[in-house]
Amino acid sequence: MNVDALDAKIVRFFTDTPRGSVLEASRVLGVARATVQSRLDRMTEAGVISSWVPRPDPAKFGFPVVAFCSLTINQDLGHDAVAEALAAIPELIEVHTVSGSSDLMARIAARSNPDLQRVLDAMIATRTVLRASSVIVLNTHFQGRTLNLLEAAAARQPE
């Protein structure tokens, strides 16, 4: 789906003001309430806007350690079975099938470095993961940065 400058402004408004109303957005952006609502509906139906739910920050509720982990899996089981087994481990925030020397890439949240070891051991204990190699995040400069990409895509569209 192509997005334009108004779409980007609407998404920016709700990103900056997540509890704002459609009426408030229409006033701030200088467009009709129905225009804002129809644009939101269109972007939601197309999957451009994938969620309206809060994003809890694991560090703020006791999980300050973040690690990325490359996983080599038991190929006989298949990726879906492995992902299903790993889904039972709540500290696994993301799991992606990737190209390259590993099979999966996971993002993990843990309470401490020893807790990270417990999570790694839990992944191996599923018997779906053969090997895990992890790197610990020392500092996060930015993440989940899709709004800038949406705005850049909108800027490339004729108005």
Side-chain angles (χ1 to χ4, degrees):
M1 172 187 156
N2 289 331
V3 293
D4 63 18
L6 180 57
D7 293 328
K9 288 176 185 176
I10 291 169
V11 174
R12 169 66 72 183
F13 173 84
F14 285 104
T15 300
D16 294 344
T17 315
R19 297 180 76 175
S21 68
V22 171
L23 180 59
E24 183 182 0
S26 72
R27 288 180 182 152
V28 169
L29 299 173
V31 297
R33 185 199 60 74
T35 299
V36 173
Q37 187 64 60
S38 68
R39 296 284 187 116
L40 286 171
D41 291 344
R42 181 176 54 92
M43 288 187 286
T44 301
E45 288 169 15
V48 172
I49 297 173
S50 62
S51 177
W52 287 95
V53 299
R55 284 187 319 214
D57 181 350
K60 303 297 188 216
F61 58 92
F63 293 82
V65 176
V66 175
F68 289 94
C69 192
S70 299
L71 306 174
T72 302
I73 66 169
N74 181 340
Q75 294 288 329
D76 293 340
L77 299 174
H79 288 81
D80 292 339
V82 175
E84 187 177 324
L86 294 176
I89 302 170
E91 293 86 356
L92 287 171
I93 297 172
E94 296 176 26
V95 175
H96 306 273
T97 296
V98 295
S99 63
S101 60
S102 62
D103 301 308
L104 299 175
M105 181 66 67
R107 184 165 62 113
I108 302 167
R111 294 185 183 281
S112 62
N113 289 353
D115 189 47
L116 175 60
Q117 181 64 59
R118 178 193 59 78
V119 175
L120 295 171
D121 291 344
M123 289 190 305
I124 298 296
T126 66
R127 304 222 184 272
T128 63
V129 174
L130 303 175
R131 191 170 30 265
S133 174
S134 60
V135 293
I136 296 174
V137 173
L138 300 177
N139 189 20
T140 299
H141 300 281
F142 54 82
Q143 66 181 3
R145 204 182 120 170
T146 57
L147 182 56
N148 293 356
L149 180 61
L150 177 89
E151 289 172 335
R156 291 186 193 111
Q157 295 298 317
E159 293 198 36

Coordinates of all heavy atoms in Angstrom, one line a residue, residues 5-64:
A5 N 1.7 11.8 2.6 CA 2.1 12.7 3.7 C 1.1 12.8 4.8 O 1.4 12.8 6.0 CB 2.5 14.1 3.2
L6 N -0.2 12.8 4.4 CA -1.3 12.9 5.4 C -1.3 11.6 6.3 O -1.4 11.6 7.5 CB -2.6 13.2 4.8 CG -3.8 13.2 5.8 CD1 -3.5 14.3 6.9 CD2 -5.1 13.5 5.1
D7 N -1.1 10.4 5.6 CA -1.1 9.2 6.3 C 0.0 9.2 7.4 O -0.1 8.9 8.5 CB -0.8 8.0 5.4 CG -2.0 7.7 4.4 OD1 -3.1 7.9 4.8 OD2 -1.7 7.3 3.3
A8 N 1.2 9.7 6.9 CA 2.4 9.8 7.8 C 2.1 10.7 9.0 O 2.5 10.4 10.2 CB 3.6 10.2 7.1
K9 N 1.4 11.8 8.7 CA 1.1 12.8 9.8 C 0.1 12.2 10.8 O 0.2 12.4 12.0 CB 0.5 14.1 9.2 CG 1.6 14.9 8.5 CD 0.9 16.2 7.8 CE 2.0 16.9 7.1 NZ 1.4 18.1 6.3
I10 N -0.8 11.4 10.3 CA -1.8 10.8 11.2 C -1.1 9.7 12.1 O -1.3 9.7 13.3 CB -2.9 10.1 10.4 CG1 -3.8 11.2 9.7 CG2 -3.8 9.2 11.2 CD1 -4.8 10.7 8.7
V11 N -0.2 8.9 11.5 CA 0.5 7.9 12.3 C 1.4 8.6 13.3 O 1.5 8.2 14.4 CB 1.3 7.0 11.4 CG1 2.2 6.0 12.2 CG2 0.3 6.1 10.5
R12 N 2.1 9.7 12.9 CA 3.0 10.5 13.8 C 2.1 11.0 14.9 O 2.6 11.0 16.1 CB 3.7 11.6 13.0 CG 4.4 12.6 13.9 CD 5.5 12.1 14.6 NE 6.7 11.8 13.8 CZ 7.8 11.3 14.2 NH1 7.9 11.0 15.5 NH2 8.8 11.0 13.4
F13 N 1.0 11.6 14.6 CA 0.1 12.1 15.7 C -0.2 11.0 16.7 O 0.0 11.3 17.9 CB -1.2 12.7 15.1 CG -2.2 13.1 16.2 CD1 -2.1 14.3 16.8 CD2 -3.1 12.2 16.7 CE1 -2.9 14.7 17.9 CE2 -4.0 12.6 17.7 CZ -3.9 13.8 18.3
F14 N -0.6 9.9 16.3 CA -1.0 8.8 17.3 C 0.2 8.2 17.9 O 0.1 7.6 19.0 CB -1.9 7.8 16.6 CG -3.3 8.3 16.5 CD1 -3.8 8.7 15.2 CD2 -4.2 8.5 17.6 CE1 -5.1 9.2 15.1 CE2 -5.4 9.0 17.4 CZ -5.9 9.4 16.2
T15 N 1.4 8.3 17.3 CA 2.6 7.8 17.9 C 3.0 8.7 19.0 O 3.4 8.3 20.1 CB 3.7 7.7 16.9 OG1 3.3 6.7 15.9 CG2 5.0 7.2 17.5
D16 N 2.9 10.0 18.8 CA 3.3 11.0 19.8 C 2.2 11.2 20.8 O 2.5 11.6 21.9 CB 3.6 12.4 19.1 CG 4.8 12.4 18.2 OD1 5.6 11.4 18.3 OD2 4.9 13.3 17.4
T17 N 1.0 10.9 20.5 CA -0.2 11.1 21.4 C -1.0 9.8 21.3 O -2.1 9.8 20.8 CB -1.1 12.3 20.9 OG1 -0.2 13.4 20.6 CG2 -2.0 12.7 22.0
P18 N -0.5 8.7 21.9 CA -1.2 7.4 21.8 C -2.6 7.4 22.4 O -3.4 6.5 22.0 CB -0.2 6.5 22.5 CG 0.6 7.3 23.3 CD 0.7 8.6 22.7
R19 N -2.9 8.3 23.3 CA -4.3 8.3 23.8 C -5.1 9.4 23.2 O -6.2 9.7 23.7 CB -4.2 8.4 25.4 CG -3.4 7.2 25.9 CD -3.3 7.2 27.4 NE -4.6 6.9 28.0 CZ -4.8 6.7 29.3 NH1 -3.9 6.9 30.1 NH2 -6.0 6.4 29.7
G20 N -4.7 10.0 22.2 CA -5.4 11.0 21.5 C -6.6 10.4 20.8 O -6.7 9.2 20.5
S21 N -7.6 11.3 20.5 CA -8.8 10.9 19.8 C -8.7 11.2 18.3 O -7.9 12.1 17.9 CB -10.0 11.5 20.4 OG -10.0 12.9 20.2
V22 N -9.6 10.6 17.5 CA -9.7 10.9 16.1 C -10.1 12.4 16.0 O -9.5 13.1 15.1 CB -10.7 10.0 15.4 CG1 -10.9 10.4 14.0 CG2 -10.1 8.6 15.4
L23 N -11.0 12.9 16.8 CA -11.4 14.3 16.7 C -10.2 15.2 17.0 O -10.0 16.2 16.3 CB -12.5 14.5 17.7 CG -13.1 16.0 17.8 CD1 -13.6 16.4 16.4 CD2 -14.2 16.1 18.8
E24 N -9.4 14.9 18.0 CA -8.3 15.7 18.3 C -7.3 15.7 17.2 O -6.7 16.7 16.8 CB -7.6 15.2 19.6 CG -6.4 16.0 20.1 CD -5.7 15.4 21.3 OE1 -6.2 14.4 21.9 OE2 -4.7 16.0 21.7
A25 N -7.1 14.5 16.6 CA -6.1 14.5 15.4 C -6.7 15.3 14.3 O -5.9 16.0 13.6 CB -6.0 13.0 15.0
S26 N -8.0 15.3 14.0 CA -8.5 16.1 12.9 C -8.3 17.6 13.2 O -8.0 18.3 12.2 CB -10.0 15.7 12.7 OG -10.8 16.3 13.8
R27 N -8.4 18.0 14.4 CA -8.2 19.4 14.8 C -6.8 19.8 14.6 O -6.5 20.8 14.0 CB -8.7 19.7 16.2 CG -10.2 19.7 16.4 CD -10.5 20.0 17.8 NE -12.0 19.9 18.0 CZ -12.6 19.6 19.1 NH1 -11.9 19.3 20.2 NH2 -13.9 19.5 19.2
V28 N -5.9 19.0 15.1 CA -4.4 19.3 15.0 C -3.9 19.3 13.6 O -3.2 20.1 13.2 CB -3.6 18.3 15.9 CG1 -2.1 18.4 15.6 CG2 -3.9 18.5 17.4
L29 N -4.4 18.3 12.8 CA -4.0 18.2 11.4 C -4.8 19.0 10.4 O -4.4 19.1 9.3 CB -4.0 16.7 11.0 CG -3.1 15.8 11.9 CD1 -3.4 14.3 11.5 CD2 -1.7 16.1 11.7
G30 N -5.9 19.6 10.9 CA -6.7 20.5 10.0 C -7.4 19.7 8.9 O -7.5 20.2 7.8
V31 N -7.8 18.5 9.2 CA -8.6 17.7 8.2 C -9.9 17.2 8.9 O -10.0 17.3 10.2 CB -7.9 16.5 7.6 CG1 -6.7 17.0 6.8 CG2 -7.4 15.6 8.7
A32 N -10.9 16.8 8.2 CA -12.1 16.3 8.7 C -11.9 15.0 9.6 O -11.0 14.2 9.3 CB -13.1 16.0 7.6
R33 N -12.7 14.9 10.6 CA -12.6 13.7 11.4 C -12.8 12.4 10.6 O -12.1 11.4 10.8 CB -13.7 13.8 12.6 CG -13.6 12.6 13.6 CD -14.9 12.4 14.4 NE -16.0 12.1 13.6 CZ -16.2 11.0 13.0 NH1 -15.4 10.0 13.0 NH2 -17.3 10.8 12.2
A34 N -13.8 12.5 9.7 CA -14.0 11.3 8.8 C -12.8 11.0 8.0 O -12.6 9.8 7.7 CB -15.2 11.6 7.9
T35 N -12.0 11.9 7.6 CA -10.8 11.7 6.8 C -9.8 10.9 7.6 O -9.2 10.0 7.2 CB -10.2 13.0 6.3 OG1 -11.2 13.7 5.4 CG2 -8.9 12.8 5.5
V36 N -9.6 11.4 8.9 CA -8.7 10.7 9.8 C -9.1 9.3 10.0 O -8.3 8.4 9.9 CB -8.5 11.5 11.1 CG1 -7.7 10.7 12.1 CG2 -7.9 12.9 10.9
Q37 N -10.4 9.1 10.3 CA -10.9 7.8 10.6 C -10.8 6.9 9.4 O -10.4 5.7 9.5 CB -12.4 7.8 11.0 CG -12.9 6.5 11.5 CD -12.2 6.0 12.7 OE1 -12.2 6.6 13.8 NE2 -11.5 4.8 12.6
S38 N -11.1 7.4 8.2 CA -11.0 6.5 7.0 C -9.6 6.1 6.7 O -9.3 5.0 6.3 CB -11.7 7.1 5.8 OG -11.0 8.3 5.4
R39 N -8.7 7.1 6.9 CA -7.3 6.8 6.7 C -6.8 5.8 7.7 O -6.0 4.8 7.3 CB -6.4 8.1 6.8 CG -6.7 9.1 5.8 CD -6.1 8.8 4.4 NE -6.2 9.8 3.4 CZ -5.2 10.5 2.9 NH1 -3.9 10.2 3.2 NH2 -5.4 11.4 2.0
L40 N -7.2 5.9 8.9 CA -6.8 4.9 10.0 C -7.3 3.5 9.6 O -6.6 2.5 9.7 CB -7.3 5.3 11.3 CG -6.5 6.5 12.0 CD1 -7.3 6.9 13.3 CD2 -5.1 6.1 12.4
D41 N -8.6 3.5 9.2 CA -9.2 2.2 8.8 C -8.5 1.6 7.7 O -8.2 0.4 7.7 CB -10.7 2.4 8.5 CG -11.5 2.8 9.7 OD1 -11.1 2.6 10.8 OD2 -12.7 3.3 9.5
R42 N -8.2 2.4 6.6 CA -7.5 1.9 5.5 C -6.1 1.3 5.8 O -5.7 0.2 5.4 CB -7.4 3.0 4.4 CG -6.7 2.6 3.1 CD -6.7 3.7 2.1 NE -6.2 5.0 2.6 CZ -4.9 5.4 2.4 NH1 -4.1 4.6 1.8 NH2 -4.5 6.5 2.9
M43 N -5.3 2.1 6.6 CA -4.0 1.6 7.0 C -4.0 0.4 7.9 O -3.2 -0.5 7.8 CB -3.2 2.8 7.7 CG -2.8 3.9 6.7 SD -1.7 5.1 7.4 CE -2.8 6.1 8.4
T44 N -5.1 0.3 8.7 CA -5.2 -0.8 9.6 C -5.6 -2.1 8.8 O -5.0 -3.1 9.0 CB -6.2 -0.6 10.7 OG1 -5.8 0.5 11.5 CG2 -6.4 -1.8 11.6
E45 N -6.5 -1.9 7.9 CA -6.9 -3.1 7.0 C -5.8 -3.6 6.2 O -5.6 -4.7 5.9 CB -8.1 -2.7 6.2 CG -9.4 -2.5 7.0 CD -10.5 -1.9 6.2 OE1 -10.4 -1.8 4.9 OE2 -11.5 -1.5 6.8
A46 N -4.9 -2.6 5.7 CA -3.8 -3.0 4.9 C -2.6 -3.5 5.7 O -1.6 -4.0 5.1 CB -3.4 -1.8 4.0
G47 N -2.7 -3.4 7.0 CA -1.6 -3.9 7.8 C -0.5 -2.9 8.1 O 0.5 -3.2 8.7
V48 N -0.6 -1.7 7.5 CA 0.4 -0.7 7.7 C 0.5 -0.3 9.2 O 1.5 -0.2 9.8 CB 0.1 0.6 6.9 CG1 1.0 1.8 7.3 CG2 0.2 0.3 5.4
I49 N -0.7 -0.2 9.8 CA -0.8 -0.1 11.3 C -1.1 -1.5 11.8 O -2.2 -2.0 11.5 CB -1.9 0.9 11.7 CG1 -1.5 2.3 11.2 CG2 -2.1 0.9 13.2 CD1 -2.6 3.4 11.4
S50 N -0.2 -2.1 12.5 CA -0.4 -3.5 12.9 C -0.9 -3.7 14.3 O -1.3 -4.8 14.7 CB 0.9 -4.3 12.7 OG 1.9 -3.7 13.5
S51 N -0.9 -2.6 15.1 CA -1.2 -2.8 16.5 C -1.6 -1.5 17.1 O -1.1 -0.4 16.8 CB -0.1 -3.4 17.3 OG -0.4 -3.5 18.6
W52 N -2.6 -1.5 18.0 CA -3.0 -0.4 18.9 C -2.8 -0.7 20.3 O -3.4 -0.1 21.2 CB -4.4 0.0 18.6 CG -4.6 0.6 17.3 CD1 -5.0 0.0 16.1 CD2 -4.4 2.0 17.0 NE1 -5.1 0.9 15.1 CE2 -4.7 2.2 15.6 CE3 -4.1 3.1 17.7 CZ2 -4.7 3.4 14.9 CZ3 -4.0 4.4 17.0 CH2 -4.3 4.5 15.7
V53 N -1.9 -1.7 20.6 CA -1.8 -2.1 22.0 C -0.5 -1.5 22.6 O 0.4 -1.2 21.9 CB -1.7 -3.7 22.1 CG1 -2.9 -4.3 21.6 CG2 -0.5 -4.2 21.4
P54 N -0.5 -1.3 23.9 CA 0.7 -0.8 24.6 C 1.9 -1.8 24.4 O 1.7 -3.0 24.3 CB 0.3 -0.8 26.1 CG -1.2 -0.8 26.1 CD -1.6 -1.6 24.9
R55 N 3.1 -1.2 24.4 CA 4.3 -2.0 24.3 C 5.1 -1.9 25.6 O 5.8 -0.9 25.8 CB 5.2 -1.5 23.2 CG 4.8 -1.9 21.8 CD 5.8 -1.5 20.8 NE 6.3 -0.2 21.1 CZ 6.7 0.7 20.1 NH1 6.6 0.4 18.9 NH2 7.2 1.9 20.5
P56 N 4.9 -2.9 26.5 CA 5.6 -2.9 27.8 C 7.1 -2.9 27.6 O 7.6 -3.6 26.6 CB 5.1 -4.1 28.5 CG 3.9 -4.6 27.8 CD 4.0 -4.1 26.4
D57 N 7.9 -2.2 28.4 CA 9.3 -2.2 28.3 C 9.9 -3.1 29.4 O 9.7 -2.9 30.6 CB 9.8 -0.7 28.6 CG 11.3 -0.6 28.6 OD1 12.0 -1.7 28.5 OD2 11.8 0.5 28.6
P58 N 10.4 -4.3 29.0 CA 10.9 -5.3 29.9 C 11.8 -4.8 31.0 O 11.8 -5.2 32.1 CB 11.6 -6.3 29.0 CG 10.9 -6.2 27.7 CD 10.6 -4.7 27.6
A59 N 12.7 -3.8 30.6 CA 13.6 -3.2 31.6 C 12.9 -2.6 32.8 O 13.4 -2.6 33.9 CB 14.6 -2.3 31.0
K60 N 11.7 -2.0 32.5 CA 11.0 -1.3 33.5 C 10.2 -2.2 34.5 O 9.7 -1.8 35.5 CB 10.0 -0.3 32.9 CG 10.6 0.7 32.0 CD 11.6 1.6 32.7 CE 12.0 2.7 31.7 NZ 13.4 3.0 31.9
F61 N 10.1 -3.5 34.1 CA 9.5 -4.5 35.1 C 10.4 -5.6 35.4 O 9.9 -6.7 35.7 CB 8.1 -4.9 34.6 CG 8.0 -5.5 33.3 CD1 8.1 -6.9 33.1 CD2 7.8 -4.8 32.1 CE1 8.0 -7.5 31.9 CE2 7.7 -5.4 30.9 CZ 7.8 -6.8 30.8
G62 N 11.7 -5.4 35.5 CA 12.6 -6.3 36.0 C 13.4 -7.2 35.1 O 14.1 -8.1 35.5
F63 N 13.4 -6.8 33.8 CA 14.2 -7.6 32.8 C 15.1 -6.7 32.0 O 14.9 -6.4 30.8 CB 13.3 -8.3 31.8 CG 12.5 -9.4 32.5 CD1 11.3 -9.1 33.2 CD2 12.9 -10.7 32.4 CE1 10.6 -10.1 33.8 CE2 12.2 -11.7 33.1 CZ 11.0 -11.4 33.8
P64 N 16.2 -6.1 32.7 CA 17.1 -5.1 32.0 C 18.1 -5.7 31.1 O 18.7 -5.0 30.3 CB 17.8 -4.5 33.2 CG 17.8 -5.6 34.2 CD 16.5 -6.4 34.1

